[in-house]
Amino acid sequence: MIREFGLSEALAILSGVQSTILLSLIAFAGGGVVGLAIALMRTSERAWLRRCAGFYIDFFQGTPLLMQLFLVFYGLPVLGYKVNPWVAVTIGFTLHASAFLGEVWRGSIQAVPRGQSEAAYALGLSYVSRMRNVVLPQAMRISVAPTVGFMVQLIKGTSLAAIIGFVELSRAAQIIASATYKPLLAYGCAAIVYFLLCFPLSRLSMRLEKRFAVKS
């Protein structure tokens, strides 16, 4: 039976926003922790750490996000670990985010003038102290704008989670479109919500980039 598109259907689409935001925050937080480790490995003085981190980044940047989700969702059961869509998309997006954030932060670390680290080394500071007290505070300032920009891409990328059965904003719109045969209205509502989520972050990223460019 074909349903009419009304307030209840619009609210059903909006119910997917919670999953979209929650998935984005979990992936960003988890990806940030792993990404920082990857960035430090990429800038390490040990060649084998740099190579391992480089391979990790190349793999996740060189393969589609959808394929990464498939590998997690269908690959883990082959290894004996059955996962539901929530766990699969969380792992997949966290790994994806860690590779991109790791590369962003690697560039920020290397953008800090080398003289800063050399001066800290001359003062007898250890590698950990140099990173914590000298390099990372400056790198964080440089990386704020691109990090916020990546968050926008991450939010939009969560729409791919619908492919493996995870109900988020896009999947909720797809369900309503199938029930009402009003795909333009359903997907139009979803597009408006994505815009409302991403546009403020995009503007914030541009503003931060301009602010830090003026200060530098």
Side-chain angles (χ1 to χ4, degrees):
M1 180 178 179
I2 300 177
R3 292 160 49 184
E4 289 295 325
F5 190 96
L7 179 60
S8 61
E9 283 70 27
L11 292 177
I13 294 175
L14 291 177
S15 66
V17 177
Q18 181 179 357
S19 296
T20 294
I21 294 175
L22 186 58
L23 175 59
S24 300
L25 291 177
I26 293 175
F28 187 79
V33 173
V34 180
L36 179 58
I38 294 297
L40 293 175
M41 289 172 64
R42 282 280 283 159
T43 56
S44 172
E45 298 173 351
R46 300 184 179 183
W48 69 274
L49 286 176
R50 295 196 301 271
R51 286 195 293 268
C52 289
F55 175 79
Y56 181 90
I57 291 173
D58 289 341
F59 175 79
F60 284 100
Q61 289 191 345
T63 56
L65 175 56
L66 183 58
M67 295 300 104
Q68 297 165 20
L69 294 177
F70 283 156
L71 287 175
V72 175
F73 187 64
Y74 296 111
L76 288 180
V78 173
L79 299 175
Y81 301 98
K82 293 184 178 180
V83 294
N84 58 42
W86 239 119
V87 175
V89 296
T90 299
I91 295 174
F93 276 93
T94 297
L95 294 176
H96 175 81
S98 67
F100 280 83
L101 289 176
E103 187 65 2
V104 168
W105 294 343
R106 186 274 311 164
S108 300
I109 290 173
Q110 293 183 336
V112 176
R114 189 175 182 84
Q116 300 279 341
S117 183
E118 292 176 346
Y121 179 79
L123 292 174
L125 295 180
S126 65
Y127 173 80
V128 175
S129 296
R130 293 199 305 271
M131 281 294 176
R132 183 178 60 193
N133 299 317
V134 179
V135 178
L136 288 182
Q138 299 180 70
M140 288 175 61
R141 176 175 170 271
I142 297 171
S143 67
V144 169
T147 299
V148 175
F150 174 75
M151 184 63 176
V152 174
Q153 301 302 318
L154 190 63
I155 292 174
K156 293 188 290 186
T158 57
S159 61
L160 292 176
I163 302 297
I164 61 175
F166 180 73
V167 181
E168 40 67 66
L169 181 57
S170 293
R171 177 60 176 163
Q174 184 182 29
I175 293 172
I176 296 301
S178 300
T180 61
Y181 285 84
K182 299 284 182 63
L184 183 60
L185 283 175
Y187 291 120
C189 288
I192 291 173
V193 175
Y194 276 118
F195 178 80
L196 293 176
L197 289 175
C198 296
F199 181 73
L201 290 175
S202 297
R203 300 300 297 179
L204 176 61
S205 176
M206 294 173 58
R207 184 172 300 178
L208 290 172
E209 186 175 5
K210 291 180 179 178
R211 178 182 298 178
F212 290 142
V214 170
K215 288 183 179 181
S216 60

